[in-house]
Amino acid sequence: VGARALLDNPANFGPGGTIDREIEWTSQVPMVTREALQGCDLVLLSTFEADAGLDVCERRALLEFIESGGGVFWFENGSIRTFGLLLGATPASVDTVGNGAITDESSPVADGPFGPVAGSLVMAFHKGFDAIGPNGSAFAASSIDYGATFEVGTGRVVLYGDEESFM
């Protein structure tokens, strides 16, 4: 509730912010489809379920949405395995445990309308990348990179291999 109130507060997205318009929330959908994505600019994905993922049709619809200018922010342990390969990344062959850190403080994920994030991130189990690939740029790591941004077509994606640190 607190985070949503901050996102709805126009003062956070004014001249010093990044969005110069109101945010309109849409309801959660049971399945990601082309029709469900119509009229959306940004999709937020997360779950507490172990690697729930999306089926092949949902992944294809999401990739088409991104290629045509949409944005996706996906924070979940399984996000890297579920979607990383489609973005040119390689999911890590070994899972990791332990705290992480912001490795690129200039990333728009780490320096946004709520101010900069730096230093250590307290976390436990998470998944990461063996390689980010040509379309990505890492911004958070522990023993491996686990947070990265990607440019695909005219769209942007953030994959973050943990959900608890955002929930």
Side-chain angles (χ1 to χ4, degrees):
V1 175
R4 187 174 187 140
L6 287 171
L7 286 170
D8 282 334
N9 182 344
N12 290 323
F13 296 95
T18 58
I19 300 174
D20 191 21
R21 60 187 171 88
E22 290 187 29
I23 295 173
E24 179 183 336
W25 297 95
T26 59
S27 59
Q28 182 174 342
V29 296
M31 189 170 198
V32 177
T33 64
R34 289 178 185 93
E35 294 75 25
L37 295 169
Q38 287 181 352
C40 291
D41 295 321
L42 176 67
V43 175
L44 303 174
L45 294 167
S46 187
T47 181
F48 275 123
E49 297 175 32
D51 299 339
L54 300 176
D55 70 31
V56 67
C57 293
E58 290 176 299
R59 290 192 302 263
R60 170 54 47 204
L62 199 57
L63 186 59
E64 289 173 3
F65 168 77
I66 296 161
E67 289 171 335
S68 63
V72 172
F73 187 25
W74 192 343
F75 41 100
E76 175 198 2
N77 287 337
S79 65
I80 293 167
R81 191 194 75 229
T82 301
F83 209 61
L85 289 172
L86 291 174
L87 302 174
T90 305
S93 53
V94 177
D95 297 333
T96 187
V97 176
N99 292 335
I102 298 297
T103 55
D104 180 2
E105 294 180 15
S106 68
S107 169
V109 177
D111 188 15
F114 305 114
V117 177
S120 185
L121 302 171
V122 178
M123 49 197 323
F125 171 82
H126 50 283
K127 296 189 178 192
F129 301 92
D130 275 344
I132 300 296
N135 301 317
S137 177
F139 68 88
S142 56
S143 57
I144 57 175
D145 292 325
Y146 64 86
T149 58
F150 297 85
E151 295 185 21
V152 181
T154 57
R156 306 290 183 268
V157 180
V158 175
L159 293 184
Y160 189 88
D162 187 56
E163 67 277 344
E164 290 90 354
S165 55
F166 278 96
M167 297 212 169

